[in-house]
Structures are given as C-alpha cells and as structure tokens.
C-alpha cells in the first residue's frame, strides 16, 4: 500500500465509518437531517411563516411547505441579497453561487451558508478522497497534484454585504491551506475569465508538475487536455503526466466522451468517478466502480424528497427517501442548510438501488413538461 494512501485511509477512517452508518440506516439519517434543519431555521422569516416550530413529522413538513422553483423562492433570495439576514437560514449568508442553469436564461443566485460550505460543498471532495483510498489502496494518486478546471466568475459584492460568483470561485477562496497545496493551478490562473487564456496558463503552470488526477466537466477538460498535447507535442496524456490515475467528473453525461478519454489517456491505471455537484449542493458520489450509479450522500445537511415525473402536476405525490422505487423517474426536491426549502432543483433522477440508495441522473424536468403541464419527451 502506498504510504500517502495509507495515511489518507487512516485520516478518513472515522468519516468512512459515518458513511457506512448512513448506508445502514438511511431513513433515520434523513429524519435527523430534517429535524436539525427545522430546529435551526424555526426562528427565521421563512420558518415563522411556515410554522416550523410546530412541525413534528415529514408529513407535517410536506403539508405546511409548498414545493417551489427558483422564481417562487426569489423574493426571499432578493431580501438576503439586499442585506437582510435570518430570512431562510439563521446564520449569515455571505455568498451566492451564481448559476444560469439550463432551464432559464436568467442568472440564479443560490445562497451558500457557512454550514453549507463546510458540511456539504467542501465535504464532497473530501469524501471522494476517502472513498477512492478505500477502493484502491495501492493507488499513488495522493502523491501528486489534482488539476481542477472550474468556472471563471470571480466573487463580486452583491451590494448587501455578501459576495456572488461561480461556486468554484467560492470554493477556491475557502480551500484549506493544506488542500490548496495539493491542487493546481493556483487561484490566479484558475480564475482567469477568458477560457483560452486560462488553458494556456494551465499548460505553462502544470505540464512539468506531477499531476495524478484532474476534476471537472468532461467537455471542458477534453478541450484542455487536447491543448496540453498541442502545447507539449506529445501523443497522449500519459506521456505528459505518466502518473495520472483519476478523473473526477460531473455536470454532464460522460458516456459520449468515454471512448475519447480512453484514447487520449491510454493507461490501464486510469479510473473515473462521477459526482453530482450543483450550486444547490453536493448530492452524490460514484462509490462502486462496477456501477454507473452514484451513492446519495445523506448526511450533508440536506433533506431529500422525490416527485415522480408523471406526477409533476400533483406536488402532493412527492415522497421522502423511504417512499422511492427503483426504475421510476423522479424530480429531485431538496431542503438544505443553505436555506432552501422544498426546492425543485430541476434535475430528474432514477434509483438503481435502495440498499444502499444509489441514483443516476436522467435529465431535466423541463424535458418532461411543457407550458401547459402536459408530459412530453425530448
């Protein structure tokens, strides 16, 4: 076993036990998440309006709080962006993840709390490391650097005291110093707004480093890797970074890109892990290399509900985790420690397993309904 991987396994052992625990008792874990969220937010504007203090069960919660999309939630978000606090979450909202999404041409501003940053958005990458170390104890991936290719919108002041920008910009600014030393490129390069200039800078900064992993959206990273080959004159990425072992990807279907990646990285050691990470939260990680499904992370300060796509016209048909069935297309609804409540994020998922709960992303809700609420297939 590689020394660094052994150390990672030792450091992450308590967290891996916690993951095993929620896999064994997922329903209890989710009930505790809901109870904690309601208790913390009972004194907020939203909590008082919807009687959080009197909610005792998941059914109570579903009756008192309507399911909503961004536009339904926007009046509360606008109040927070203007500087008001304790609106939907009790602690200060200091950041907004700016996302245009795929269902609207207008930008969305998703609140990010300290708890959401620490317990959700930043816990996901740490869990990836722990799960990978458990899956591949002989790996030397932790002996090198991880190349991350994210967005480029730097943080800007909202006018009300908070900052807004790409989620990746928020994460870059709050990455712990130890973790910062394990990733490339540096913050200045990572936040270059022009994509072509950023990729050129990444080439200059990283081709001589020991890069053992990279992360991001498959399409963007494929462009970057081809630029690296053009810059170095090499035939494949294994000649540039011979110790490359892992690509952590998300944001789009990887299947159309899989063969292109195999050609550009012809290494038998290469592994691929899919993640489900969005502005609203970090939701799932591929923990089983034999499956294309992802483990739903149940203790990230998120309470999940699922509405069958065929019932999108009837919000009362939404079910908690224990009510889902495999093979059914569901719209995903989240209540989070970022101050979102019964929020329809727009993604549809299918459960491939309920022991443990593993999902795959199947599309967007807008693909299934038109303006008149009739089901369509795109």
């Amino acid at each position: 076993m590689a020394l660094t991987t052994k150390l990672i396994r030792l450091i992450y052992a308590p967290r891996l036990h916690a993951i095993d625990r929620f896999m064994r008792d997922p329903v209890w874990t989710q009930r505790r998440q809901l109870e904690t969220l309601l208790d913390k937010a009972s004194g907020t504007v939203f909590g008082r309006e919807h009687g959080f203090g009197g909610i005792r069960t998941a059914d109570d919660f579903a009756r008192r709080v309507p399911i909503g999309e961004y536009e339904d939630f926007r009046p509360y978000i606008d109040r927070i962006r203007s500087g008001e606090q304790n609106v939907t979450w009790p602690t200060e909202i200091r950041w907004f993840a700016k996302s245009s999404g795929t269902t609207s041409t207008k930008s969305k501003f998703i609140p990010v709390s300290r708890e959401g940053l620490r317990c959700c958005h930043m816990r996901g990458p740490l869990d990836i490391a722990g799960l990978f170390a458990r899956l591949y104890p002989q790996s030397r991936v932790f002996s090198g650097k991880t190349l991350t290719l994210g967005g480029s919108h730097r943080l800007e002041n909202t006018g009300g005291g908070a900052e807004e920008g790409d989620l990746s910009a928020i994460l870059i600014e709050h990455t712990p110093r130890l973790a910062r030393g394990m990733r490339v490129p540096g913050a200045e390069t990572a936040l270059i707004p022009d994509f072509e200039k950023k990729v050129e800078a990444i080439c200059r900064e990283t081709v001589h480093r020991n890069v053992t992993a990279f992360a991001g959206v498959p399409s963007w990273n494929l462009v970057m890797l081809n630029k690296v080959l053009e810059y170095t004159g090499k035939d494949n990425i294994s000649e540039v970074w011979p110790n490359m072992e892992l690509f952590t990807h998300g944001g789009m279907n990887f299947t159309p890109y899989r063969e292109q990646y195999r050609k550009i990285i012809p290494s038998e050691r290469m592994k691929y892990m899919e993640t489900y990470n969005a502005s609203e939260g970090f939701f799932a990680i591929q923990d089983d290399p034999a499956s294309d499904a992802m483990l739903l992370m149940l203790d990230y300060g998120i309470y999940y509900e699922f509405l069958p796509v065929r019932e999108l016209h009837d919000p009362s048909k939404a079910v908690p985790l224990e009510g889902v069935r495999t093979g059914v297309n569901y719209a995903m609804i989240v209540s989070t420690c970022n101050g979102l409540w019964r929020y329809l994020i727009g993604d549809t998922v299918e459960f491939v397993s309920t022991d443990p709960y593993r999902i795959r992303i199947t599309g967007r809700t807008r693909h299934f309904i038109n303006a008149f609420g009739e089901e369509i297939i795109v």
Side-chain angles (χ1 to χ4, degrees), residues 27 213 249 260:
V27 174
H249 60 87
Q260 296 179 71

PDB file of all heavy atoms in Angstrom, residues 27 213 249 260:
ATOM      1  N   VAL A  27     -32.964   5.917   6.483  1.00  0.00           N
ATOM      2  CA  VAL A  27     -34.219   6.593   6.831  1.00  0.00           C
ATOM      3  C   VAL A  27     -34.048   7.391   8.112  1.00  0.00           C
ATOM      4  O   VAL A  27     -34.464   8.557   8.204  1.00  0.00           O
ATOM      5  CB  VAL A  27     -35.366   5.573   6.958  1.00  0.00           C
ATOM      6  CG1 VAL A  27     -36.634   6.264   7.460  1.00  0.00           C
ATOM      7  CG2 VAL A  27     -35.629   4.906   5.612  1.00  0.00           C
ATOM      8  N   ALA A 213      -4.260  13.483 -10.930  1.00  0.00           N
ATOM      9  CA  ALA A 213      -5.716  13.462 -11.019  1.00  0.00           C
ATOM     10  C   ALA A 213      -6.191  14.797 -11.578  1.00  0.00           C
ATOM     11  O   ALA A 213      -5.481  15.802 -11.501  1.00  0.00           O
ATOM     12  CB  ALA A 213      -6.345  13.209  -9.650  1.00  0.00           C
ATOM     13  N   HIS A 249     -15.436  13.514 -12.459  1.00  0.00           N
ATOM     14  CA  HIS A 249     -16.201  14.308 -13.418  1.00  0.00           C
ATOM     15  C   HIS A 249     -17.660  14.444 -12.998  1.00  0.00           C
ATOM     16  O   HIS A 249     -18.185  13.667 -12.206  1.00  0.00           O
ATOM     17  CB  HIS A 249     -16.124  13.667 -14.813  1.00  0.00           C
ATOM     18  CG  HIS A 249     -16.667  12.265 -14.866  1.00  0.00           C
ATOM     19  ND1 HIS A 249     -17.996  11.990 -15.086  1.00  0.00           N
ATOM     20  CD2 HIS A 249     -16.057  11.064 -14.702  1.00  0.00           C
ATOM     21  CE1 HIS A 249     -18.179  10.681 -15.078  1.00  0.00           C
ATOM     22  NE2 HIS A 249     -17.019  10.092 -14.837  1.00  0.00           N
ATOM     23  N   GLN A 260     -13.287   8.777 -26.087  1.00  0.00           N
ATOM     24  CA  GLN A 260     -12.289   9.800 -26.386  1.00  0.00           C
ATOM     25  C   GLN A 260     -11.257   9.901 -25.258  1.00  0.00           C
ATOM     26  O   GLN A 260     -10.062  10.089 -25.518  1.00  0.00           O
ATOM     27  CB  GLN A 260     -12.979  11.148 -26.585  1.00  0.00           C
ATOM     28  CG  GLN A 260     -13.916  11.188 -27.781  1.00  0.00           C
ATOM     29  CD  GLN A 260     -14.585  12.541 -27.917  1.00  0.00           C
ATOM     30  OE1 GLN A 260     -13.939  13.517 -28.277  1.00  0.00           O
ATOM     31  NE2 GLN A 260     -15.885  12.597 -27.632  1.00  0.00           N
TER      32      GLN A 260
END
